[in-house]
Amino acid sequence: MGKVFVCDHPLIQHKLTYIRDKNTKTKDFRELVDEVSSLMAYEITRNVALEQVEVETPVTKTTCHIVSGSNKLGLIPILRAGLGMVDGMLKLMPTAEVGHIGLYRDPQTLQPVEYYVKLPTDPTQRELIVIDPMLATGGSAIAAIDLLKKRQCTRIKLMCLIAAPEGVAAVQKAHPDIDIYVAAVDEYLNDHGYIVPGLGDAGDRLYGTN
Ligand code: PRP
Ligand code: URA
């Protein structure tokens, strides 16, 4: 079974509180999501492979470590809200390629509808991080991971800001091999499929729509 990592660093939890606050305006919301994404990128890359290199400091030659060149990363935001997390992650992993999966949740059926797919080059050779602020029913994340697996991608992680227990359980059932990184697992999903307490509609709050 894939693990669930709750990124409980105090700075992440502090910023998440302001992200949740309905009085936080679009500009601040966007900046906070960007910052939390950088902090979560730090956690999700904890096990990235290193390789040894020789470096000459002003004092002497020494052996140090850099991220292995064979460790190619791909970020896969689920449009549209996942886009809000991309720049924050790229700050820490600037050479990652970014693919996009366009899905929206049908408001009646809550089922994900696919409208766009463009993956990084050589996706099967990369570690792929699917990113989306919200894991509600899990339908969107499961559809995105299905799509990657159908294209023979095997090294996949899922990163979200807030998850509902229902969404975590659904992803674990559909994709028991996937590790999930979240800043919080909330209480439950309401009748409209919104996470409670959650943060509302992530896409609308990022882009000022409603
Ligand atoms: C939201 C969110 C996730 C999805 C989560 O996107 O960003 O993609 O809902 O819900 P689920 O786990 O039940 O599938 P939405 O469909 O509102 O589209 P948007 O990002 O374009 O606003
Ligand atoms: N999508 C969101 O943006 N928010 C939720 O709470 C659930 C799905």
Side-chain angles (χ1 to χ4, degrees):
M1 181 66 74
K3 295 194 184 69
V4 180
F5 296 91
V6 179
C7 303
D8 58 0
H9 190 287
L11 292 180
I12 295 178
Q13 296 305 316
H14 173 86
K15 290 173 191 297
L16 186 61
T17 298
Y18 290 99
I19 288 173
R20 289 182 187 279
D21 187 339
K22 70 175 186 181
N23 295 313
T24 299
K25 299 277 186 295
T26 301
K27 177 175 180 290
D28 290 337
F29 185 91
R30 206 181 283 147
E31 286 173 7
L32 287 160
V33 169
D34 182 77
E35 289 166 8
V36 168
S37 304
S38 292
L39 294 167
M40 290 184 73
Y42 183 77
E43 299 277 359
I44 206 167
T45 50
R46 187 170 285 280
N47 296 320
V48 158
L50 295 174
E51 64 186 33
Q52 283 193 344
V53 288
E54 297 298 316
V55 169
E56 197 168 347
T57 75
V59 180
T60 186
K61 282 188 180 165
T62 186
T63 305
C64 297
H65 295 92
I66 58 170
V67 171
S68 170
S70 61
N71 197 94
K72 294 202 274 179
L73 291 172
L75 305 182
I76 315 285
I78 301 179
L79 306 180
R80 113 196 110 136
L83 279 182
M85 300 175 74
V86 172
D87 286 351
M89 296 188 73
L90 284 175
K91 278 179 201 147
L92 289 206
M93 38 181 97
T95 59
E97 278 194 26
V98 183
H100 297 85
I101 296 181
L103 297 174
Y104 69 87
R105 208 168 65 145
D106 182 285
Q108 260 76 49
T109 65
L110 302 184
Q111 292 305 304
V113 182
E114 182 185 313
Y115 61 89
Y116 184 76
V117 179
K118 175 81 180 175
L119 297 185
T121 50
D122 306 329
T124 58
Q125 307 303 312
R126 292 175 187 274
E127 179 172 336
L128 301 177
I129 306 175
V130 174
I131 51 183
D132 192 325
M134 310 307 277
L135 179 62
T137 64
S140 304
I142 290 169
I145 296 166
D146 279 342
L147 186 153
L148 294 174
K149 287 187 173 175
K150 275 195 193 117
R151 289 161 173 79
Q152 277 71 53
C153 301
T154 52
R155 294 188 298 145
I156 305 169
K157 290 176 176 169
L158 174 63
M159 185 175 125
C160 305
L161 291 187
I162 300 180
E166 295 89 332
V168 171
V171 172
Q172 286 185 322
K173 184 160 181 240
H175 296 293
D177 55 319
I178 299 291
D179 287 342
I180 306 172
Y181 290 74
V182 293
V185 179
D186 276 6
E187 291 169 24
Y188 63 95
L189 280 183
N190 70 15
D191 292 345
H192 305 286
Y194 274 80
I195 300 174
V196 182
L199 54 72
D201 187 302
D204 283 347
R205 295 199 63 196
L206 275 167
Y207 299 112
T209 51
N210 55 46

